[in-house]
């Protein structure tokens, strides 16, 4: 099963926040039920990466494979 969130035009949400909300939606749980994102990767580094660079990053988080794109799009798949 896969959940894809379109790119966000709202610059107020950091990439790390978008990832957590997308994974929570995919799993059908509240965001606080997920493990901390920092157990998978450094959220500050993710946010900083996409303020200066484009591209995509793929990583595993909370039993899912997550791909975040510089346009804010997120693809979440069961691992």
């Amino acid at each position: 099963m896969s959940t894809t969130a379109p790119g966000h035009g709202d610059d107020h949400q950091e990439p790390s926040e978008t990832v957590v909300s997308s994974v929570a939606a995919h799993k059908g749980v509240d965001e606080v039920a997920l493990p901390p994102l920092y157990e998978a990767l450094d959220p500050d580094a993710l946010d900083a990466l996409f303020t200066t660079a484009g591209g995509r990053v793929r990583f595993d988080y909370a039993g899912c494979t997550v791909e975040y794109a510089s346009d804010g799009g997120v693809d979440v798949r069961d691992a």
Side-chain angles (χ1 to χ4, degrees), residues 3 11 13 15 18 20-22 27 34-35 42 48 50 55:
T3 302
D11 292 336
Q13 190 172 39
T18 301
V20 172
S21 62
S22 296
K27 295 178 80 76
L34 297 174
D42 182 339
F50 288 103

Side-chain angles (χ1 to χ4, degrees), residues 14-50:
E14 296 287 349
S16 58
E17 295 168 341
T18 301
V19 165
V20 172
S21 62
S22 296
V23 171
H26 175 79
K27 295 178 80 76
V29 300
D30 193 67
E31 293 176 17
V32 296
L34 297 174
L37 183 58
Y38 65 76
E39 291 181 0
L41 82 160
D42 182 339
D44 293 332
L46 178 67
D47 296 340
L49 176 66
F50 288 103

